[in-house]
Amino acid sequence: MRRTSGRAGRVPGRVPPVRRFVVPGGRDGRLMLVVAVVDKIGTGLWAGVSTLYFIQVAHLSVAQIGTLVGAAGAFGLVGPPLAGRLADRFPVTRLLVVTQLARGAALLALLTTHEFLALMLFSALGALPDRASSVLTKLFAARVAGPQRVRYQAVQRTAVNIGWAVGGLGAAGVLAIGTTAAYQALLLADVASYAVIAALTLRCAEPPSPSRVVARRAASPEGAARPETGKARRAGKARRAGKGPSPWRDRRYLAFTGTEVWLFLDDSVFQVGFPLWIVHATTAPVGLVPLLLVLNSVLVVALQVPLSRFAGTSAAARRLLLPLAAAFLTGGAALAVSAAGGPWFATCALLLAATAFTLAEILHSLSSWELSVALAPGEAQGAYVGVHGLAQSAQRSLGPVVVGAAVGAGPLAWPVLGVSLAAACLFQHRLVRPAGPEPAPRPSAVGPAAASGPAAERAG
């Protein structure tokens, strides 16, 4: 008996062995992967020493640096929704080139002055395209990879972590010199990386956009020949009047984005929580701090791609929210008990906490990526994903405050934080449940990225 080509006899989401090491998206997907690696190598060279540059070279005070970083973060909040809105109207590859060059120009401008107000202005001007480029890169990946967008994101995150590590090692080597010229060389290397990735992005073809596919379909003779339903007629009138779907009027998507702000806290736990907690509340050696970051990178590189097969559809991504809640609970409990014992006990507890929060980071990245695209209407995909990008930007401002408060409150604060994160997972699990039965898959020029809401509940 010949086996059918449907889901029967196949494990959902499993990647065939022959295609396990194939990057989705073809030539353009591979090229954008190179762009991501070069980008993060450059960022890794500069990000770790930027604060030292402002102290040692620009001679800013700690208070001035805090104000500068805060102002840049606040201005950067404009980037994601603006980029998403523009991506529904203009080619995403050209927008990416503009943001990449703008990031490089703003960074290069730091060399022209040591004045606090000027440095704050240039940092803010660089933060906007930096946040915008993250959304544009996500939209490009979703469009070029189509049904395999989750796997592409997993491969990309793996490559990005390698890029960060290479850049960080390079920065450490140059920083050993400790001169002004060394700092300037690292900054110029990051600027050069933006020029390189802009040139590489220009070689990428523009992926099909859901909004343009919808518009072409509506104008095609084939589409005109079909009887138009009331819903389709109203949607067409709304598009022509400029009143199409808006994430700002979609309470479900706004609630989803709101929970995402909290679920992205794992980043601040690693960047702020672990170093402060180890120094102020445990007997673990201070040298454990960089080792935990290494453990985080190693686990992401090792597990991101294999685990991506469990998030191939929006239904599968929704199921990941349950083990995500368990990982947050485990991490919070492990951090709490790390303050109770000697150096060996504290070290083991911290290693468990780091593993749990890294697993949470991986699971959340997979579910967040799929759901943020699947819940967005195709004709407004950019605008929706842009609003979702606000979650990570907001966490960068809110996260250090929340995690710092947890460190100051003592051991009991970590289980409370873990419970709150688990509660956010369960709320989101209920929020994104499908409103009806899963519809049959339909062929699409852009794959599932063009689907919206419950209609996205189909095989990826």
Side-chain angles (χ1 to χ4, degrees), residues 279-297:
V279 171
H280 293 292
T282 77
T283 57
V286 177
L288 185 63
V289 173
L291 295 181
L292 294 181
L293 293 175
V294 171
L295 174 65
N296 172 263
S297 296

Side-chain angles (χ1 to χ4, degrees), residues 251-326:
R251 285 182 286 183
R252 183 194 191 198
Y253 201 85
L254 288 176
F256 168 71
T257 300
T259 58
E260 289 286 274
V261 176
W262 202 245
L263 295 182
F264 274 120
L265 278 177
D266 62 84
D267 180 62
S268 291
V269 170
F270 261 104
Q271 299 297 327
V272 178
F274 276 106
L276 292 179
W277 187 249
I278 288 172
V279 171
H280 293 292
T282 77
T283 57
V286 177
L288 185 63
V289 173
L291 295 181
L292 294 181
L293 293 175
V294 171
L295 174 65
N296 172 263
S297 296
V298 169
L299 289 176
V300 169
V301 170
L303 299 177
Q304 187 79 44
V305 173
L307 289 178
S308 68
R309 68 187 184 91
F310 295 108
T313 67
S314 52
R318 177 175 176 261
R319 288 193 293 269
L320 285 183
L321 291 168
L322 299 179
L324 175 59

Side-chain angles (χ1 to χ4, degrees), residues 285-376:
V286 177
L288 185 63
V289 173
L291 295 181
L292 294 181
L293 293 175
V294 171
L295 174 65
N296 172 263
S297 296
V298 169
L299 289 176
V300 169
V301 170
L303 299 177
Q304 187 79 44
V305 173
L307 289 178
S308 68
R309 68 187 184 91
F310 295 108
T313 67
S314 52
R318 177 175 176 261
R319 288 193 293 269
L320 285 183
L321 291 168
L322 299 179
L324 175 59
F328 279 132
L329 289 172
T330 303
L335 273 173
V337 302
S338 66
W344 282 107
F345 180 84
T347 298
C348 292
L350 288 165
L351 288 172
L352 175 60
T355 301
F357 276 106
T358 300
L359 183 60
E361 174 191 341
I362 296 170
L363 294 177
H364 178 236
S365 70
L366 294 171
S367 66
S368 176
W369 172 277
E370 172 62 22
L371 291 173
S372 65
V373 176
L375 294 174

Side-chain angles (χ1 to χ4, degrees), residues 85-417:
R85 182 68 67 177
L86 292 174
D88 284 332
R89 291 165 172 76
F90 302 101
V92 70
T93 51
R94 298 303 178 260
L95 292 173
L96 265 172
V97 171
V98 171
T99 59
Q100 290 157 351
L101 293 177
R103 292 163 72 192
L107 186 61
L108 186 62
L110 295 180
L111 291 178
T112 65
T113 182
H114 291 167
E115 294 294 327
F116 167 64
L117 290 178
L119 290 172
M120 184 168 65
L121 173 63
F122 295 143
S123 297
L125 291 176
L128 191 151
D130 181 68
R131 304 292 188 270
S133 66
S134 297
V135 169
L136 295 172
T137 301
K138 179 176 180 178
L139 285 169
F140 179 92
R143 293 172 182 179
V144 79
Q148 298 185 66
R149 58 178 178 257
V150 173
R151 177 170 172 78
Y152 184 88
Q153 183 258 6
V155 174
Q156 185 184 59
R157 286 196 83 234
T158 301
V160 159
N161 271 271
I162 295 173
W164 267 106
V166 172
L169 289 173
V174 175
L175 197 60
I177 302 173
T179 63
T180 297
Y183 286 108
Q184 292 172 340
L186 291 171
L187 186 151
L188 289 172
D190 194 13
V191 171
S193 74
Y194 292 132
V196 171
I197 63 177
L200 291 174
T201 304
L202 283 172
R203 298 180 59 191
C204 293
E206 179 66 16
S209 165
S211 57
R212 297 189 185 102
V213 168
V214 170
R216 285 198 301 268
R217 238 179 236 159
S220 68
E222 182 184 356
R226 292 197 189 103
E228 200 175 40
T229 65
K231 184 176 180 180
R233 194 180 302 114
R234 287 192 299 272
K237 288 181 180 177
R239 280 194 302 272
R240 288 190 294 272
K243 298 178 181 178
S246 169
W248 302 109
R249 296 191 297 268
D250 190 331
R251 285 182 286 183
R252 183 194 191 198
Y253 201 85
L254 288 176
F256 168 71
T257 300
T259 58
E260 289 286 274
V261 176
W262 202 245
L263 295 182
F264 274 120
L265 278 177
D266 62 84
D267 180 62
S268 291
V269 170
F270 261 104
Q271 299 297 327
V272 178
F274 276 106
L276 292 179
W277 187 249
I278 288 172
V279 171
H280 293 292
T282 77
T283 57
V286 177
L288 185 63
V289 173
L291 295 181
L292 294 181
L293 293 175
V294 171
L295 174 65
N296 172 263
S297 296
V298 169
L299 289 176
V300 169
V301 170
L303 299 177
Q304 187 79 44
V305 173
L307 289 178
S308 68
R309 68 187 184 91
F310 295 108
T313 67
S314 52
R318 177 175 176 261
R319 288 193 293 269
L320 285 183
L321 291 168
L322 299 179
L324 175 59
F328 279 132
L329 289 172
T330 303
L335 273 173
V337 302
S338 66
W344 282 107
F345 180 84
T347 298
C348 292
L350 288 165
L351 288 172
L352 175 60
T355 301
F357 276 106
T358 300
L359 183 60
E361 174 191 341
I362 296 170
L363 294 177
H364 178 236
S365 70
L366 294 171
S367 66
S368 176
W369 172 277
E370 172 62 22
L371 291 173
S372 65
V373 176
L375 294 174
E379 61 270 32
Q381 185 191 75
Y384 272 69
V385 173
V387 167
H388 179 263
L390 281 172
Q392 198 160 15
S393 295
Q395 188 280 143
R396 290 177 180 177
S397 299
L398 176 67
V401 177
V402 172
V403 172
V407 172
L412 289 179
W414 293 115
V416 172
L417 182 62

Side-chain angles (χ1 to χ4, degrees), residues 11-55:
V11 177
R14 182 166 303 235
V15 180
V18 176
R19 300 173 57 193
R20 193 160 291 164
F21 301 104
V22 176
V23 177
R27 171 190 173 276
D28 293 326
R30 294 190 296 271
L31 194 55
M32 192 55 71
L33 198 64
V34 175
V35 167
V37 173
V38 174
D39 185 6
K40 294 310 175 186
I41 289 176
T43 303
L45 286 170
W46 172 247
V49 303
S50 58
T51 300
L52 296 176
Y53 173 87
F54 290 131
I55 294 174

